[in-house]
Amino acid sequence: MLTGMAALPEPAALLPTEPAGVEMVAKFFRALGDPARLRLLEFLLHEEHTVTECVAHIGLSQGRVSTHLGCLSDCGYVQLRREGRFAYYRVTDPRVAELVMLARALVADNASALAACLRIDPR
């Protein structure tokens, strides 16, 4: 037992037991593996925004932003609402905000190890 830390659940409680389930969890994280998609998610956490607003916020071309928003939409992180000729995106599940905040906390606690890691492409 680790001192000063909460006990981790049994491994079976963390990941699905079947290989396809583990692959789906890995795919879930790959969708979050792009910095632009993470910035878009953070931007959309509190209110919906148009593609134009997303472009202005993250500074990529409209085509790149639309591609990233499409990925986030296809994976279920954001939802599209059309109103006339405008497309509005918003985060579909409040747990996404919890996930982003937890990730930020973990990064803060492990910043030096992450910075030193040579196995993950820093992009």
Side-chain angles (χ1 to χ4, degrees):
M1 175 91 171
L2 300 172
T3 58
M5 294 181 65
L8 293 174
E10 291 297 316
L14 290 175
L15 291 173
T17 55
E18 68 280 354
V22 174
E23 288 298 320
M24 194 61 64
V25 172
K27 188 173 186 178
F28 171 89
F29 282 109
R30 281 194 306 273
L32 299 175
D34 185 275
R37 287 196 290 271
L38 285 174
R39 290 189 349 243
L40 283 167
L41 266 183
E42 282 191 327
F43 185 56
L44 298 169
L45 283 178
H46 303 293
E47 63 182 309
E48 67 181 13
H49 291 281
T50 65
V51 174
T52 302
E53 291 169 331
C54 291
V55 166
H57 179 73
I58 68 166
L60 295 177
S61 71
Q62 187 273 327
R64 296 293 303 146
V65 169
S66 291
T67 298
H68 288 304
L69 288 169
C71 174
L72 292 171
S73 178
D74 289 349
C75 291
Y77 291 104
V78 300
Q79 186 174 39
L80 166 66
R81 178 180 69 83
R82 293 201 179 274
E83 187 174 300
R85 59 186 193 105
F86 293 99
Y88 294 87
Y89 286 87
R90 66 178 178 85
V91 171
T92 56
D93 189 326
R95 293 177 295 176
V96 172
E98 295 172 27
L99 180 64
V100 170
M101 295 310 296
L102 179 59
R104 283 188 170 275
L106 286 165
V107 166
D109 291 347
N110 295 293
S112 60
L114 286 167
C117 178
L118 300 175
R119 297 176 188 259
I120 304 293
D121 180 17
R123 281 196 240 182

